[in-house]
């Protein structure tokens, strides 16, 4: 079972104590793609961490002392330092912890990964809009077309580079930063958006073989259970699939 | 070369040759705040560079090979490597070149600078909204939004109790946000810092920095540019030369 399989904290919950030394804490939610990025990096680098899941529809009052708008993910270390914005959190972990570096050492290669991230910026919004449209019974042909266009741009990059992953022949930070939205294509009902991008499909297959990605894969039925409850505005959605 | 006196290249111009070894090239525009970030970092780190100004109202065809989006700034190395997006160019320069580091070495302090940068992110698009606003009444909503954003920045400074956003010396985050404060006077928005005294003090301290002051554009020149730019004049980018 994943190390973040804990019930969410909501309004009225007791604020957690300080973070013990030697551990870093992640405020998260099991189905959030942005938090997923940070969980991937924590796992990939083998960083000792604890996860506190937040009920995003019923946020604890104390949580606003961790993030001004109550967003996740947020990292908190034993020095009470708080880091937020998923990309900033991921870079912080890569900088602060030893072992395998997920960003390249070479400044130009680092810059390339950051430029690739810019190319990706429309994807989260578009995938979410498709999901909402489909769940509300609305047509999303235009949205899917726009998403396919974004995927074509990514396909072109992989084709031009002639590498398996976005950073080269090994998986690196940029792949982890993209992954959460690709993992969700099927459960969101938009897996056909990669029909015309074979190299991207190969990348998806390669990602699914990565031990870190694998270890954090959420089972399809659990995800669908969450989505069903979420769209019914059920505050229990975030804890779907957890045993009592 | 200061880059402040070079006429921009437009449609039909010959593409520039490769970048000589020992130099880095920046494709820029004298009045672009995003490109200003890169110029500030190049100057602050004493990096040997050449500037090619692009006529953004009449872009050369060859420029789209440097950046498909046709935007400045773009860095080009003597190896033909291209780096786009102002914040990425600045970080690249800090990492690739020796000398004074503008970003902190401490991972948390570096993350803090990036979090401040995020909280600044609404300012550029808000300020674009003021360009060409003739009617003062149109501005009040925008001014209020700008006040809100400036208050966030004021809070960062007062919480830190330091002169600059990264501590008691000037660092990357200060250079990244400066170009929009440099424009306040020319846009008649000085009043927007009236209720943020620490931010006002920061602006004064910035103007004293040798790098900032060496690249300062005066109010009249800005206004001349804005005027022509709003008329979509292909002469705008070269105003004052």
């Amino acid at each position: 079972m994943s190390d973040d399989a804990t019930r969410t904290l909501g309004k009225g919950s007791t604020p957690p104590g300080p973070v013990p030394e030697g551990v870093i804490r992640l405020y998260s939610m099991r189905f959030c793609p942005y938090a997923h990025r940070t969980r991937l990096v924590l796992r990939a680098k083998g960083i000792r961490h604890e996860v506190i899941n937040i009920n995003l529809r019923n946020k604890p009052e104390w949580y606003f002392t961790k993030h001004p708008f109550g967003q996740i993910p947020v990292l908190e270390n034993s020095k009470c330092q708080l880091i937020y914005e998923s990309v900033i959190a991921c870079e912080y972990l890569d900088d602060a912890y030893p072992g395998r570096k997920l960003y390249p050492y070479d400044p130009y290669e680092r810059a390339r990964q950051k430029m690739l991230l810019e190319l990706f910026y429309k994807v989260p919004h578009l995938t979410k809009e498709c999901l909402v449209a489909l769940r509300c019974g609305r047509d999303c042909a235009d949205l899917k077309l726009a998403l396919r266009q974004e995927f074509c741009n990514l396909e072109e990059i992989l084709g031009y580079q002639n590498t398996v992953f976005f950073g080269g022949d090994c998986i690196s930070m940029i792949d982890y930063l993209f992954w959460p939205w690709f993992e969700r294509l099927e459960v969101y009902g938009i897996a056909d958006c990669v029909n015309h991008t074979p190299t991207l499909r190969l990348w998806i297959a390669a990602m699914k073989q990565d031990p870190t990605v694998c270890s954090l894969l959420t089972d399809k039925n659990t995800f669908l259970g969450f989505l069903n409850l979420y769209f019914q505005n059920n505050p229990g959605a975030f804890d779907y699939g957890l045993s009592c | 070369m200061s880059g402040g006196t070079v006429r921009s290249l437009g449609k039909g111009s010959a593409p520039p040759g490769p970048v000589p070894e020992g130099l880095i090239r920046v494709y820029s525009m004298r009045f672009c705040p995003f490109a200003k970030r890169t110029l500030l970092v190049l100057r602050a780190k004493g990096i040997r560079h050449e500037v090619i100004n692009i006529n953004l109202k009449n872009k050369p065809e060859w420029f789209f090979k440097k950046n498909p989006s046709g935007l400045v700034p773009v860095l080009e190395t003597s190896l033909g490597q291209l780096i786009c997006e102002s914040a990425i160019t600045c970080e690249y320069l800090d990492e690739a070149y020796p000398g004074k580091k503008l970003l902190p070495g401490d991972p948390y302090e570096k993350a803090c600078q990036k979090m401040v940068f995020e909280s600044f992110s609404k300012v550029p698009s808000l300020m674009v909204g003021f360009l060409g606003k003739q009617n003062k009444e149109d501005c009040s909503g925008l001014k209020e939004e700008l006040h809100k954003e400036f208050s966030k920045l004021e809070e960062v400074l007062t919480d830190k109790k330091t002169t600059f956003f990264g501590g008691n010396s000037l660092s990357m985050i200060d250079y990244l946000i400066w170009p929009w404060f440099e424009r306040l006077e020319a846009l008649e928005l000085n009043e927007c810092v009236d209720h943020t005294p620490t931010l006002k003090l920061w602006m004064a301290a910035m103007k004293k920095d040798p790098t900032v002051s060496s690249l300062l554009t005066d109010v009249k020149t800005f206004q001349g540019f804005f005027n022509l730019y709003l008329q979509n004049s292909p002469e705008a980018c070269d105003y004052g030369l």
Side-chain angles (χ1 to χ4, degrees), chain A residues 19 23-25 75-81 83 92, chain B residues 108:
Chain A
V19 180
V23 164
I24 191 162
R25 176 183 295 158
L75 286 170
E76 184 174 1
N77 62 25
S78 53
K79 295 192 220 156
C80 302
Q81 294 170 334
I83 299 111
Y92 166 81
Chain B
Y108 174 65

Side-chain angles (χ1 to χ4, degrees), chain B residues 4-19:
Chain B
T5 53
V6 179
R7 296 200 82 82
S8 61
L9 298 184
K11 253 200 195 89
S13 59
V19 180

Side-chain angles (χ1 to χ4, degrees), chain B residues 88-146:
Chain B
I88 299 177
T89 63
C90 292
E91 193 160 0
Y92 167 80
L93 292 171
D94 203 41
E95 289 169 1
Y97 287 83
K100 177 178 180 206
K101 286 297 171 203
L102 298 176
L103 274 169
D106 176 69
Y108 174 65
E109 291 303 324
K110 183 178 161 196
C112 282
Q113 294 218 0
K114 295 195 173 195
M115 289 187 275
V116 174
F117 183 69
E118 274 304 307
S119 72
F120 173 79
S121 63
K122 294 195 177 132
V123 172
S125 51
L126 279 177
M127 284 188 58
V128 161
F130 285 101
L131 271 180
K133 282 274 193 284
Q134 305 299 340
N135 197 344
K136 297 282 176 189
E137 279 83 72
D138 283 354
C139 292
S140 59
L142 267 178
K143 275 190 183 163
E144 214 176 290
E145 285 195 64
L146 201 58

Side-chain angles (χ1 to χ4, degrees), chain A:
Chain A
M1 166 149 338
S2 179
D3 54 9
D4 73 334
T6 54
R7 304 198 82 81
T8 55
L9 298 183
K11 250 197 196 90
S13 59
T14 319
V19 180
E21 238 186 274
V23 164
I24 191 162
R25 176 183 295 158
L26 173 69
Y27 296 98
S28 182
M29 192 277 281
R30 289 154 58 227
F31 306 99
C32 169
Y34 296 95
H36 191 177
R37 284 172 158 168
T38 320
R39 290 189 296 117
L40 285 164
V41 172
L42 284 163
R43 183 63 68 98
K45 290 183 68 81
I47 296 169
R48 282 190 65 214
H49 63 283
E50 61 179 37
V51 178
I52 292 187
N53 289 313
I54 300 297
N55 188 325
L56 299 180
R57 284 259 166 87
N58 190 28
K59 295 175 188 178
E61 304 84 342
W62 55 260
Y63 190 61
F64 293 89
T65 65
K66 308 296 181 187
H67 188 288
F69 306 125
Q71 290 169 351
I72 52 153
V74 175
L75 286 170
E76 184 174 1
N77 62 25
S78 53
K79 295 192 220 156
C80 302
Q81 294 170 334
L82 295 159
I83 299 111
Y84 49 79
E85 292 300 322
S86 60
V87 176
I88 299 176
C90 291
E91 184 163 1
Y92 166 81
L93 291 172
D94 204 40
D95 289 339
Y97 287 83
R100 178 185 172 199
K101 284 296 171 204
L102 299 177
Y103 270 125
Y105 284 105
D106 177 69
Y108 172 65
E109 291 302 323
R110 288 174 76 92
R112 278 207 65 239
Q113 294 217 359
K114 291 172 184 201
M115 287 189 277
L116 277 177
L117 191 58
E118 288 292 316
L119 231 80
F120 182 79
Y121 89 93
K122 287 182 184 160
V123 172
H125 172 76
L126 283 172
T127 54
K128 186 176 181 186
E129 289 296 297
C130 285
L131 168 69
V132 172
L134 285 170
R135 286 267 159 175
C136 298
R138 288 199 311 265
D139 169 63
C140 63
D142 282 350
L143 288 168
K144 284 175 84 168
L145 194 62
L147 189 58
R148 282 203 183 91
Q149 183 53 54
E150 296 305 310
F151 289 167
C152 276
N153 296 342
L154 295 177
E155 175 85 359
E156 226 180 282
I157 302 280
L158 282 176
Y160 171 79
Q161 284 177 184
N162 201 18
T163 57
V164 178
F165 297 101
F166 282 98
D169 285 320
C170 299
I171 198 172
S172 62
M173 184 65 89
I174 189 66
D175 303 288
Y176 289 128
L177 294 178
F178 286 177
W179 176 249
W181 286 270
F182 288 93
E183 185 175 317
R184 284 156 178 70
L185 287 182
E186 209 193 335
V187 292
Y188 282 17
I190 49 175
D192 61 339
C193 287
V194 287
N195 279 357
H196 304 290
T197 48
T199 327
L200 202 51
R201 286 204 307 277
L202 283 173
W203 173 78
I204 292 172
M207 288 298 281
K208 282 185 179 156
Q209 298 198 320
D210 175 69
T212 301
V213 167
C214 241
S215 68
L216 294 181
L217 275 173
T218 301
D219 133 271
K220 183 176 171 178
N221 288 323
T222 309
F223 218 116
L224 285 172
F226 158 70
L227 287 174
N228 289 337
L229 289 180
Y230 183 81
F231 280 94
Q232 291 164 26
N233 281 314
N234 187 324
F238 306 108
D239 292 330
Y240 184 82
L242 292 175
S243 42
C244 288

